Amino acid sequence: MNAFASIASERGLRALIFDVDGTLADTERDGHRVAFNRAFADAGRDWHWDVARYGELLAVAGGRERILHFIDSDAADIPLAQRDALARELHARKTAHYVQLVDMGEVRLRPGAARLIDDAHAAGLRLAIATTTSRANVDALLAHSLPAAADWFEVIATADDAPNKKPDPQVYRYVLNRLGLHAEECLAVEDSALGLRAARAAGIPTIATVNDYTRDQDFSGALVVLDDLGAISLTQLRAWHASITQSIF
Ligand code: XBP
Ligand code: MG
């Protein structure tokens, strides 16, 4: 074990960094997807993303990028020069609809997420968020579903802070920098292969909690792959974290 690894290992686990969409809450099928479709209808477009098609489109991280990808593949009649502005306009409308859906309680936290955050806070672990979604969406979710915990997140890093979407590690590097911690002192919690790749590219040990959209993705490199966070204790998380920080170096 080198000197740097030894420091990280002695300190053990210092912070949990949570992804949002698909990890803290089931946001995609009944939240983001519905909001995209409402934005399309508002703008007079007859586009509709059904549950299966949306699953395919999730291969593109970032809502604006997802719309652009769809325009490129399914709306080739729209002139190239207009596509970027159209995607921005639709995405802004979509964000407003998403926030409304969250406020109405249409987006549910995933099992175990709230309890794990409570336990981590009570145990003095530092908390952060690293997500590809927009800040307004995270603020709405925290205000509606985790009001007591909203102030516990020391860093909330979103697409507004890190424009390079996952699997780019930019958002995780931003969080590490703001926390002033080494990657090995943290544990990321992710639901998708893109998110896992982003966290691992930043050097952060990562656990995966899968959902219906991500279950069959490639999670090689994850510390463990779980159905949800319902049965996970902090003791278990610390044990997994200790096993990787000791075996990596
Ligand atoms: C998931 C994403 C986002 C959401 C939509 O982010 O890729 O694009 O699907 O949100 P993560 P926006 O899992 O990292 O939280 O429309 O705001 O991008
Ligand atoms: Mg996610």
Side-chain angles (χ1 to χ4, degrees), residues 19 21-23 190-192:
D19 167 52
D21 295 299
T23 297
E190 272 287 355
D191 72 302
S192 69

Side-chain angles (χ1 to χ4, degrees), residues 154-178:
E154 263 180 71
V155 183
I156 297 177
T158 70
D160 302 32
D161 311 293
N164 300 345
K165 307 290 158 66
K166 299 172 185 176
D168 192 293
Q170 187 183 46
V171 70
Y172 278 105
R173 291 195 174 130
Y174 177 90
V175 168
L176 291 176
N177 192 32
R178 290 279 311 276

Side-chain angles (χ1 to χ4, degrees), residues 19 21 28 32 62-63 66 91 94 131-134 137 166:
D19 167 52
D21 295 299
E28 296 290 6
H32 290 299
R66 200 168 296 143
H91 191 243
K94 175 261 170 183
T131 176
T132 270
T133 199
S134 320
N137 298 342
K166 299 172 185 176

Side-chain angles (χ1 to χ4, degrees), residues 129-217:
I129 280 175
T131 176
T132 270
T133 199
S134 320
R135 178 69 192 233
N137 298 342
V138 179
D139 288 344
L141 184 71
L142 292 178
H144 186 272
S145 302
L146 285 167
D151 291 340
W152 300 346
F153 291 98
E154 263 180 71
V155 183
I156 297 177
T158 70
D160 302 32
D161 311 293
N164 300 345
K165 307 290 158 66
K166 299 172 185 176
D168 192 293
Q170 187 183 46
V171 70
Y172 278 105
R173 291 195 174 130
Y174 177 90
V175 168
L176 291 176
N177 192 32
R178 290 279 311 276
L179 288 173
L181 291 176
H182 295 297
E184 293 80 2
E185 296 173 297
C186 303
L187 194 64
V189 188
E190 272 287 355
D191 72 302
S192 69
L194 290 179
L196 170 67
R197 279 166 56 198
R200 295 299 298 129
I204 305 171
T206 305
I207 66 166
T209 166
V210 298
N211 55 57
D212 287 345
Y213 273 136
T214 65
R215 200 170 306 285
D216 298 328
Q217 295 179 355

Side-chain angles (χ1 to χ4, degrees), residues 69-87:
H69 169 85
F70 177 80
I71 293 173
D72 289 344
S73 61
D74 284 57
D77 55 309
I78 295 173
L80 275 177
Q82 293 174 15
R83 292 183 190 178
D84 194 57
L86 176 60

